[in-house]
Amino acid sequence: MRAARLIRMVLLLQSRPAMTAAELAQELEVSERTVTRDAQALSEAGVPVYAERGRAGGYRLIGGYRTRLTGLARDEAEALFLSGLPSALRDMGLEDAASAARLKVSAALLPALRDASTGVSRRFHLDAPGWYREPVTPALLPAVAEAVRDDRTVLARYRRAGQDTEAERELSPYGLVLKAGVWYLCARAADDFRVYRIDRFTAVAVSDTRFVRDEGFDLPGFWAEHAARFTRSLLRTEVTLRLSEAAAARLPHTVDRVAALEALDAAGPPGADGRVTVTLPVESLDVAYGQLLSLGPELEVLEPAALRTRFADAAERLHSLYRHTAGNGRE
C-alpha cells in the first residue's frame, strides 16, 4: 500500500513543477504529516525530493529527475493497454500516436511485464458497433477530434435530421462520444451545450482561436443526462396492457428497459388470472405493434382501441394460417 503511494507521489511531482504538502495530501488521501514522512523515505531511497519552506514553498524533484514506470503491477499494466480503443483511435487519426505511446510505455516496464500489451489483446476485444450494421467513419471526424484535443473553436455546417436544409454554427467542441458505432460531438453553441452527429456535418473549419473550457463540464455525466432525456422524448404515446408473468419478465427486453421497469413498478397486484395491468409509454403505435407482437398470447392490449384492433386482426390471420394444421403437417 505504501509502496504504491510512494510511486504515485513521485509521478505527481514529475507531472508538476512543485506541489505543496496540502496538495499532495489531498491527491494521495493522507495527512500532511504522512506526506512529510513519505518525502523523507523517498529521499533516503535516493529519489531527489526537495522541500522548500515558505508561502510559495512545497515539494519538487531536483534536476529534472524522472523515474521509469517500474512500479506498475501486471493488472495495472494490462489495464493501461486495455484503455485504448483501436477502432476509435484509428477513426480519430490517432493510431500512430497511440502506437508510439504503447512502445514508450512498454520500454519503461519491467521485463516481466512487457508482454502485458499482447497478453490483454489476446483476451479482450471491444466491438463498439451494433449487429447488422457496417461501421462508417465520418470523413470529418479527424478534424473535429483535433479541435476537441486543442480546445479550438470550429465553424461547422450541419444537416438537420430528416431535412435537406443545412445550418451553420460556431461551436466550442468539448468532447466526442462513440455510441453503438455512431460518433457524436458534445459542444457549446452560444450559451447552450448540445449534441451533434458527426456524420451530419457537411463542412468543418477549425479556427486558430482557442476557447476557454468550462472545467466543471462533466462529459460522461452530460452524455448520460442527454441520453436519458432523448429516450424519454421519444416515448410520446401510452398503451395499456395485460401481461402474463412470462410477458412481464420479457417486457424489459422487448421495449425501452427503463420505461418497462417503471411501468411494472407502478402496476397494481396481479388479477385472479395472474396477469398484471400496466400503462407503458412507447414511441408510437406502429413501433409498439412491432415490439409487443413478439410477446404473442402472453400479452393483451387493452388501450388504445386502434392498437387492440391491430392485434386482434393479427390473431385472426395467424388463426387462419394454422387452423387446418394437424400435428406437424397440414390436412
Side-chain angles (χ1 to χ4, degrees), residues 247 249-257 260 287-288 290-295:
R250 289 168 52 191
L251 189 67
H253 307 286
T254 306
V255 298
D256 180 79
R257 179 176 177 81
V287 171
Q291 293 173 331
L292 297 173
L293 194 61
S294 65
L295 298 178

Side-chain angles (χ1 to χ4, degrees), residues 318-327 329-331:
L318 284 170
H319 177 68
S320 178
L321 284 173
Y322 292 103
R323 63 183 175 180
H324 298 303
T325 300
R330 292 185 176 183
E331 291 182 349

Side-chain angles (χ1 to χ4, degrees), residues 49-104:
V49 177
Y50 175 69
E52 291 183 336
R53 302 186 180 280
R55 294 183 60 185
Y59 292 93
R60 68 176 70 247
L61 294 174
I62 300 175
Y65 173 85
R66 309 291 294 178
T67 182
R68 292 163 62 87
L69 298 177
T70 52
L72 285 177
R74 173 172 291 278
D75 61 340
E76 293 170 333
E78 289 182 345
L80 175 64
F81 286 102
L82 183 61
S83 65
L85 308 180
S87 60
L89 293 168
R90 182 178 61 250
D91 291 350
M92 292 187 290
L94 293 174
E95 190 173 25
D96 290 344
S99 177
R102 284 192 293 270
L103 287 172
K104 291 177 181 179

Side-chain angles (χ1 to χ4, degrees), residues 241-248 250 273-276 291-301 311-312 314-315 318-319:
L241 314 169
R242 289 180 68 243
L243 307 171
S244 70
E245 184 178 351
R250 289 168 52 191
D273 59 357
R275 295 195 171 222
V276 63
Q291 293 173 331
L292 297 173
L293 194 61
S294 65
L295 298 178
E298 302 300 322
L299 167 144
E300 179 187 359
V301 176
F311 270 74
L318 284 170
H319 177 68

Side-chain angles (χ1 to χ4, degrees), residues 124-204:
F124 301 99
H125 176 67
L126 174 65
D127 186 10
W131 290 103
Y132 313 117
R133 63 185 303 170
E134 189 68 25
V136 178
T137 302
L140 295 174
L141 176 61
V144 176
E146 179 185 357
V148 170
R149 292 195 304 272
D150 292 342
D151 291 344
R152 296 185 183 274
T153 60
V154 300
L155 187 64
R157 293 190 63 80
Y158 184 81
R159 187 179 65 256
R160 292 188 174 96
Q163 300 181 21
D164 295 329
T165 59
E166 294 183 357
E168 189 171 78
R169 296 283 186 273
E170 183 175 339
L171 306 175
S172 298
Y174 269 67
L176 290 167
V177 174
L178 177 61
K179 170 70 171 179
V182 180
W183 283 96
Y184 296 88
L185 173 67
C186 301
R188 172 174 273 172
D191 293 328
D192 295 328
F193 283 100
R194 301 180 183 180
V195 175
Y196 301 86
R197 279 183 60 146
I198 302 295
D199 57 8
R200 291 186 183 146
F201 284 131
T202 58
V204 171

Side-chain angles (χ1 to χ4, degrees), residues 222-243:
F222 171 78
W223 176 259
E225 182 180 342
H226 167 79
R229 187 168 60 248
F230 175 74
T231 300
R232 288 194 300 268
S233 72
L234 294 177
L235 306 179
R236 305 184 183 96
T237 305
E238 287 188 344
V239 297
T240 305
L241 314 169
R242 289 180 68 243
L243 307 171

